[in-house]
Amino acid sequence: VASTRKAAPACRAASAICHEHIVQITDFGATPEGGSFLVMEYLDGEDLSETLRREGPLPWQRVIHLGEQIAWALAAAHKHGIVHRDIKPANCYRVPRAQNPDFIKVLDFGLAKVTETDRREGESLTHTGMLLGTPGYIAPELYRGLKADHRVDIYALGALMHKLLTGELPPMCGSDES
């Protein structure tokens, strides 16, 4: 039940976003045994980590197309006061469509942060000061203990696009040597 309470804000937040590039969550809750469940739309495709593994670095035109769709999804989330905090290839799913073989759905709002001021007092997805996300996609300011806002998703999108273009994560920024 405790895990359901922690997941509920993320599920509620993600299910409130109705955007073509964000996976639709239709239901969530607790099982009688105390576990959690989540019901999402069925997606037939693969995540970008699998695409990258199979195809290697992608042409820049394709990366721009993929990045635009992810940016649109993030803009919709940010408009609803939601910061994803875990943008990476495994959370971006390619669902081929008739006119778009690279149609993207952003998944996994499990680490999302609800920043809207009208959310219930005390409703939090994580503890203050916790560093969450996937190394290499985490914005440098989070390593310094600064607050997460929409810019951490923008940083992660840049890191993801770099990875798609080169097959490698960008070098870590923010060293004291500069």
Side-chain angles (χ1 to χ4, degrees):
V1 177
S3 62
T4 301
R5 276 191 294 244
K6 288 180 183 177
C11 293
R12 189 172 27 259
S15 66
I17 307 168
C18 187
H19 191 273
E20 68 178 335
H21 293 293
I22 295 178
V23 66
Q24 294 301 299
I25 297 172
T26 56
D27 198 9
F28 60 91
T31 66
E33 297 80 25
S36 300
F37 71 88
L38 181 71
V39 180
M40 302 184 296
E41 70 177 300
Y42 175 74
L43 300 176
D44 188 13
E46 68 182 15
D47 65 47
L48 290 178
S49 64
E50 181 59 34
T51 303
L52 192 58
R53 197 173 9 263
R54 191 181 67 259
E55 298 181 27
L58 305 176
W60 68 267
Q61 299 92 332
R62 189 172 178 196
V63 173
I64 294 294
H65 177 65
L66 295 166
E68 278 181 327
Q69 294 173 82
I70 298 164
W72 293 331
L74 291 174
H78 297 162
K79 184 177 179 182
H80 282 81
I82 299 165
V83 180
H84 188 282
R85 296 199 300 185
D86 199 22
I87 293 297
K88 60 184 178 183
N91 287 339
C92 299
Y93 210 79
R94 287 181 54 242
V95 185
R97 301 272 168 98
Q99 301 301 315
N100 185 358
D102 283 332
F103 190 86
I104 292 292
K105 289 279 193 171
V106 174
L107 316 173
D108 195 355
F109 282 77
L111 296 182
K113 178 180 179 182
V114 180
T115 61
E116 287 184 329
T117 54
D118 64 345
R119 67 185 173 93
R120 290 193 308 246
E121 187 62 34
E123 185 176 89
S124 177
L125 304 182
T126 57
H127 301 290
T128 303
M130 287 180 69
L131 181 61
L132 299 172
T134 301
Y137 299 94
I138 299 172
E141 58 265 35
L142 294 182
Y143 285 112
R144 294 187 189 107
L146 301 176
K147 192 174 181 179
D149 63 21
H150 68 282
R151 295 173 291 185
V152 302
D153 287 343
I154 296 167
Y155 178 89
L157 176 56
L160 179 143
M161 292 176 72
H162 186 280
K163 174 89 174 184
L164 294 174
L165 284 167
T166 67
E168 299 178 9
L169 284 167
M172 289 299 296
C173 299
S175 69
D176 293 333
E177 297 176 13
S178 48

